[in-house]
Amino acid sequence: MPQSWTEVWRPGHGPLLRDRLTVRRVDEMASQLTARRAWPDTESIYRVLAAADRLTSAAMWLVLHMGFAHRVDVTGTPLRAKDFRTAPVGRTEASLGVVPAFVGYLTANVLSGRTRSWAMGQAHGLAAMAAVDVLTGAVAGGPKGRHDSTQAGLSNLVADFGSCATGTDGPSPAGSGSDPALIELQYAHMPLRGESLVVVLDPDAGDEQPILDDSPRWWRAEDCGLITPVAILGVRLSGAEGEVDGDGKAARLDQRLRFCGFDPITIDGGDPAAFAWAILETEDRLKRFTSNADRVYPAPMPYVIATAGFGLLDGEHFPEQEVPPPDALYIDGEFRQRFNKAAASLFVPPAELAAAVGVLDTHALQGRPRESHHPLAVRSQRPRH
């Protein structure tokens, strides 16, 4: 007897093992969505969530290649020595952590039938967005005909990543980018009333900058849109040593956020369904606050703390820019073996991935813009006269 989509989704996919808290939260979300008649049945919802798992896995597979390889093999065949870079580029561990968040954002848009805005305070998230975009076309891809979901297109993206080369149309679009401005100072006012924003913030900004995030005091329901701030706790590297962020760092961040007036929520940072649930949950909380005629500021603004997701490469850290790399990755046989094992655990066959992308492509059906045209992306910045 064929499995239901609920049964397909519930245990997870590949190295993603779903925790009980996420399952309970998502079950409640699915019941609420059907009760509101936003979806006809829960099976349709779990089909979307199962598709999100597969897109997440495939995008993480691609990000892994972007950091360490020159090419991909869409058949899943292990890479050979000559396919690897001499040294890693980008921050692969951190980029991998953004993939479930971005796919969760896309999933929340599907489940609610609304295209939210997206912003980041972490430059390494560009690799995650590029990987998801080239697999779905959700954002705004690179040069037309060069980066697509074919063998050649994906290999071009991987080879271009981290490049500072320039062409007739400017710098390489897959370059690793530069650090963005401190977005904590402005995100509370970015979405207008009636809009929504998901913003990924730097969880270490409060440790390194002499400021605190005062968004709960700045935000006003009368002229601000709904906001979901997110901090993704991954691996923070210092010199040759890596410190894994665990419950201790999450607890410290929770304490700091409560001091600033936030109402934090902790989720599994490796699960796109957890991010989708958190986005809808935070918006519901702000809506309840907004609907209260006797509301008192500062607003108890929710803040999502995403704990470190599942590990790869046998639980060991990836080599990064901040860590002295091997003399050459392509001659490091042990690393190649670990890489190929991790890549195999994430690999999604092209036909299965295409089906998942089709499930998530609901823009025409729902009559909403693609994520490349979210409100902040198309708003005119010209001053009014």
Side-chain angles (χ1 to χ4, degrees), residues 58-127:
M60 294 181 76
W61 175 88
L62 185 53
V63 167
L64 194 63
H65 285 73
M66 291 166 72
F68 302 114
H70 289 300
R71 61 180 290 271
V72 304
D73 190 314
V74 296
T75 68
T77 301
L79 297 186
R80 298 167 293 179
K82 67 178 183 179
D83 298 324
F84 287 86
R85 297 179 184 270
T86 301
V89 296
R91 293 190 59 202
T92 302
E93 287 246 13
S95 299
L96 289 170
V98 178
V99 172
F102 191 62
V103 175
Y105 154 77
L106 299 180
T107 305
N109 293 345
V110 173
L111 295 178
S112 63
R114 297 177 58 239
T115 298
R116 293 160 177 78
S117 293
W118 168 273
M120 288 189 303
Q122 296 178 321
H124 54 255
L126 296 175

Side-chain angles (χ1 to χ4, degrees), residues 291-374:
S291 64
N292 183 2
D294 299 323
R295 59 182 176 269
V296 177
Y297 292 98
M301 182 178 291
Y303 194 114
V304 179
I305 301 174
T307 58
F310 50 87
L312 298 169
L313 294 188
D314 300 325
E316 299 179 36
H317 302 320
F318 293 93
E320 301 276 3
Q321 286 177 333
E322 294 89 342
V323 178
D327 291 336
L329 292 180
Y330 68 85
I331 64 173
D332 188 334
E334 180 183 355
F335 173 80
R336 295 201 312 272
Q337 184 178 16
R338 290 165 56 216
F339 174 96
N340 283 322
K341 180 180 179 181
S345 72
L346 294 169
F347 178 72
V348 179
E352 186 177 353
L353 175 60
V357 170
V359 170
L360 296 170
D361 186 6
T362 61
H363 303 85
L365 179 65
Q366 295 176 326
R368 61 183 180 89
R370 303 193 73 82
E371 281 69 19
S372 57
H373 289 77
H374 66 70

Side-chain angles (χ1 to χ4, degrees), residues 217-270:
R217 295 171 176 83
W218 298 337
W219 186 86
R220 290 294 182 270
E222 292 77 13
D223 58 7
C224 297
L226 302 175
I227 300 173
T228 302
V230 178
I232 302 172
L233 306 185
V235 173
R236 189 178 181 186
L237 300 166
S238 177
E241 299 294 329
E243 177 189 354
V244 178
D245 299 310
D247 293 339
K249 182 169 185 178
R252 292 193 300 272
L253 179 57
D254 183 282
Q255 183 178 25
R256 191 175 80 213
L257 291 171
R258 292 185 186 279
F259 175 79
C260 293
F262 287 96
D263 181 19
I265 303 171
T266 301
I267 65 168
D268 178 1

Side-chain angles (χ1 to χ4, degrees), residues 15-304:
L16 165 59
L17 301 177
R18 187 152 282 122
D19 64 33
R20 293 181 179 179
L21 177 58
T22 300
V23 170
R24 178 174 62 79
R25 286 170 165 174
V26 170
D27 285 346
E28 292 173 356
M29 176 188 71
S31 298
Q32 292 170 1
L33 289 172
T34 53
R36 297 172 187 171
R37 298 187 178 180
W39 284 80
D41 53 65
T42 56
E43 275 293 281
S44 301
I45 295 172
Y46 288 108
R47 184 187 181 202
V48 169
L49 296 171
D53 284 350
R54 282 142 187 81
L55 175 58
T56 298
S57 189
M60 294 181 76
W61 175 88
L62 185 53
V63 167
L64 194 63
H65 285 73
M66 291 166 72
F68 302 114
H70 289 300
R71 61 180 290 271
V72 304
D73 190 314
V74 296
T75 68
T77 301
L79 297 186
R80 298 167 293 179
K82 67 178 183 179
D83 298 324
F84 287 86
R85 297 179 184 270
T86 301
V89 296
R91 293 190 59 202
T92 302
E93 287 246 13
S95 299
L96 289 170
V98 178
V99 172
F102 191 62
V103 175
Y105 154 77
L106 299 180
T107 305
N109 293 345
V110 173
L111 295 178
S112 63
R114 297 177 58 239
T115 298
R116 293 160 177 78
S117 293
W118 168 273
M120 288 189 303
Q122 296 178 321
H124 54 255
L126 296 175
M129 291 181 62
V132 175
D133 180 35
V134 79
L135 297 175
T136 65
V139 191
K144 187 175 182 180
R146 180 166 177 79
H147 298 162
D148 55 32
S149 58
T150 64
Q151 170 82 36
L154 296 180
S155 291
N156 285 338
L157 176 71
V158 167
D160 288 344
F161 180 64
S163 172
C164 295
T166 59
T168 57
D169 54 352
S172 168
S176 55
S178 59
D179 288 337
L182 197 62
I183 200 170
E184 283 83 355
L185 295 174
Q186 56 185 317
Y187 75 85
H189 305 294
M190 293 172 72
L192 301 179
R193 188 175 182 181
E195 298 175 353
S196 299
L197 169 68
V198 178
V199 55
V200 176
L201 303 170
D202 185 351
D204 301 313
D207 297 331
E208 300 169 356
Q209 303 290 338
I211 67 165
L212 292 174
D213 188 339
D214 285 327
S215 294
R217 295 171 176 83
W218 298 337
W219 186 86
R220 290 294 182 270
E222 292 77 13
D223 58 7
C224 297
L226 302 175
I227 300 173
T228 302
V230 178
I232 302 172
L233 306 185
V235 173
R236 189 178 181 186
L237 300 166
S238 177
E241 299 294 329
E243 177 189 354
V244 178
D245 299 310
D247 293 339
K249 182 169 185 178
R252 292 193 300 272
L253 179 57
D254 183 282
Q255 183 178 25
R256 191 175 80 213
L257 291 171
R258 292 185 186 279
F259 175 79
C260 293
F262 287 96
D263 181 19
I265 303 171
T266 301
I267 65 168
D268 178 1
D271 194 331
F275 281 101
W277 170 85
I279 292 169
L280 299 186
E281 174 66 18
T282 57
E283 291 183 353
D284 281 345
R285 292 187 185 187
L286 275 180
K287 287 177 183 177
R288 287 194 293 269
F289 173 80
T290 301
S291 64
N292 183 2
D294 299 323
R295 59 182 176 269
V296 177
Y297 292 98
M301 182 178 291
Y303 194 114
V304 179

Side-chain angles (χ1 to χ4, degrees), residues 2-18:
Q3 285 183 304
S4 68
W5 285 112
T6 307
E7 294 171 328
V8 170
W9 170 81
R10 198 175 296 275
H13 180 267
L16 165 59
L17 301 177
R18 187 152 282 122

